[in-house]
Amino acid sequence: MSGNAFWQQLESRAVGESVPLQEALAQIPWNADGLIPAIAQQHDTGEVLMLAWMNRAALEETLARGRVCYWSRSRQQLWRKGESSGQVQVLKEARLDCDGDTLLLLVDQTGPACHTGRRGCFYNLVQGERLVVDQSVLIDPANLYGK
């Protein structure tokens, strides 16, 4: 079954029906770099924290260990959230969207999620003709990363 057909057949499934996880992972339409976007959202408040990328190894590690791991495009290596800052993300729930090309990770975020020291990465608010910073720095990045 092609990847597209796999996701289409899930559209007609009833609540509670399932497919094997490994079968679903094999049908994810990874991009040309073998990645899929992953949105991290605070599980109890709904706050959108960040968007990052995962390859299959990062996703499998996240699901197996319950601690979120991404793929760093800049460093070209696995990036275990919080490994240098201590600001970890514990996975509470993982979801794939309707066509399997985006992940939603419901997490319990310790401290700031953003490398800027802010709670989330979406702190630039478009307000009319202005871009307004609407979140304060919680922890100085120099203290987060020891730079």
Side-chain angles (χ1 to χ4, degrees):
M1 174 182 310
S2 76
N4 194 37
F6 175 85
W7 299 104
Q8 286 178 340
Q9 60 97 13
L10 287 177
E11 293 174 9
S12 61
R13 295 283 178 105
V15 172
E17 289 187 49
S18 65
V19 297
L21 178 60
Q22 290 303 314
E23 184 179 335
L25 295 180
Q27 297 301 324
I28 290 175
W30 308 97
N31 72 12
D33 296 321
L35 303 174
I36 185 172
I39 300 163
Q41 182 177 29
Q42 180 63 32
H43 76 100
D44 53 356
T45 66
E47 177 185 16
V48 176
L49 300 168
M50 58 182 280
L51 178 129
W53 296 87
M54 288 183 150
N55 62 11
R56 186 164 178 161
L59 177 54
E60 288 177 339
E61 178 177 316
T62 297
L63 295 174
R65 295 187 180 172
R67 183 170 161 186
V68 179
C69 176
Y70 298 106
W71 177 256
S72 171
R73 295 178 300 164
S74 60
R75 294 183 304 237
Q76 291 293 296
Q77 65 184 32
L78 291 175
W79 159 38
R80 291 162 187 92
K81 184 69 175 152
E83 66 188 342
S84 58
S85 68
Q87 311 303 307
V88 300
Q89 291 178 346
V90 175
L91 182 68
K92 297 295 186 176
E93 183 175 298
R95 293 175 172 264
L96 283 154
D97 75 343
C98 57
D99 54 3
D101 66 358
T102 303
L103 282 161
L104 175 62
L105 306 174
L106 300 180
V107 302
D108 191 9
Q109 171 70 47
T110 301
C114 186
H115 75 281
T116 65
R118 291 175 173 86
R119 176 69 177 161
C121 295
F122 296 95
Y123 59 85
N124 293 308
L125 172 66
V126 176
Q127 203 168 49
E129 295 298 315
R130 308 289 298 175
L131 188 63
V132 180
V133 174
D134 75 346
Q135 290 181 26
S136 298
V137 172
L138 301 175
I139 300 175
D140 185 322
N143 294 332
L144 274 177
Y145 302 104
K147 294 179 181 173

